[in-house]
Amino acid sequence: MKIVVCIKRVPSTETNVKIAGDGKSLDPAGVEYIISPFDEIALEEALRIKEKIAPPSAEQAGSPAPISPSGGGEVTVLTFGPADSAITLRAGLAMGADKAVLLKDDLANQRDSFAVASALAGALKEINPDIIFFGKQAVDDDNSQIGAMVAYLLNLPFINLTVNLTVKLELNEPKVTAQREVEGGHEILEVNLPAVFTAQKGLNEPRYPSLKGIMAAKKKPLEEKTFTLTNNSLETIKMEYPPSRPAGRIVGKGVESIPELVRLLKEEAQVI
């Protein structure tokens, strides 16, 4: 079984990001980049599926056959980004992925969602995976669009906001039962593979790369493909910081200040 996890290189959520001089992008100086947290959840789920369908080891001779008709699984991490994204892919390999593919584009951060989805869909057609995972959104732009767009471009079933997932591979008919978040509750769906899923918080708790995994990642294959897109429907015109909060104000002390406080909340703050 082939599983591909599409990951994105994003600034660490603890990094104090700054707007670059062009006013349209982020200043990369001093920024620490990580795998987007929801993509980490997706990768962890892929690794757990792989471990469940792994063929028995020599020590397990005589044990029941693996449930996978192919006798095992392979996890590939795929990203579209600048050359430095190779470091992020190595982090995915250190977690346990088997191989990595980088669609290299130095202008990746200026591409819109559909352009990125088109690039990923083209690479996924070549890999022809059984399961495609995304995080539900990247924590830098929060667009929440790529997974759905890729599923559309590949004409594959799509389940969003997955919080529980069970793979069934009996009788060479691979299916997945997935539980996803909906307004006010959960919905349980069954889908034939191949299919696309996005991971939501609660699906699992991602593992930390072990020292052995970090060392092994250096030897695992990482394929780089130069990829240049010309179709871009959106353009960033301007980035700016949110307005500064006004200073606080003391309206009085004791119960005598309540009428004035209520008036200000109603007329100035307009929260009541």
Side-chain angles (χ1 to χ4, degrees), residues 3-43:
I3 307 172
V4 174
V5 184
C6 297
I7 66 175
K8 186 178 182 182
R9 166 185 177 264
V10 300
S12 168
T13 52
E14 298 178 357
T15 296
N16 183 21
V17 295
K18 298 179 181 179
I19 298 175
D22 62 3
K24 299 181 180 182
S25 59
L26 297 180
D27 185 351
V31 176
E32 177 189 356
Y33 289 95
I34 60 172
I35 299 174
S36 185
F38 290 107
D39 295 346
E40 276 193 317
I41 295 173
L43 177 53

Side-chain angles (χ1 to χ4, degrees), residues 87-162:
I87 300 173
T88 307
L89 287 173
R90 289 290 179 196
L93 294 173
M95 284 182 64
D98 300 291
K99 58 175 67 174
V101 178
L102 168 59
L103 304 179
K104 188 165 59 175
D105 183 358
D106 292 334
L107 299 178
N109 294 330
Q110 301 176 25
R111 307 301 186 187
D112 62 41
S113 296
F114 189 75
V116 175
S118 298
L120 293 173
L124 288 164
K125 282 183 181 179
E126 295 181 10
I127 300 173
N128 192 28
D130 301 289
I131 297 177
I132 302 170
F133 275 118
F134 291 84
K136 78 178 184 77
Q137 66 194 73
V139 298
D140 55 352
D141 53 29
D142 287 329
N143 281 338
S144 305
Q145 297 175 328
I146 303 295
M149 287 180 173
V150 168
Y152 170 79
L153 291 170
L154 296 178
N155 194 29
L156 292 177
F158 173 62
I159 298 180
N160 196 27
L161 304 175
T162 306

Side-chain angles (χ1 to χ4, degrees), residues 160-209:
N160 196 27
L161 304 175
T162 306
V163 294
N164 190 282
L165 189 144
T166 303
V167 178
K168 301 177 181 179
L169 296 166
E170 296 89 351
L171 303 176
N172 293 333
E173 295 182 358
K175 294 184 179 181
V176 169
T177 300
Q179 185 176 352
R180 73 184 190 99
E181 285 192 344
V182 294
E183 187 70 29
H186 289 163
E187 183 177 54
I188 298 176
L189 302 168
E190 186 175 75
V191 62
N192 292 326
L193 298 182
V196 180
F197 304 87
T198 67
Q200 166 69 304
K201 197 172 183 180
L203 178 60
N204 57 55
E205 191 65 34
R207 68 192 69 186
Y208 290 101

Side-chain angles (χ1 to χ4, degrees), residues 50-70:
K50 172 192 168 184
E51 290 164 357
K52 288 178 181 178
I53 65 177
S57 62
E59 291 80 6
Q60 296 174 314
S63 61
I67 61 174
S68 169
S70 60

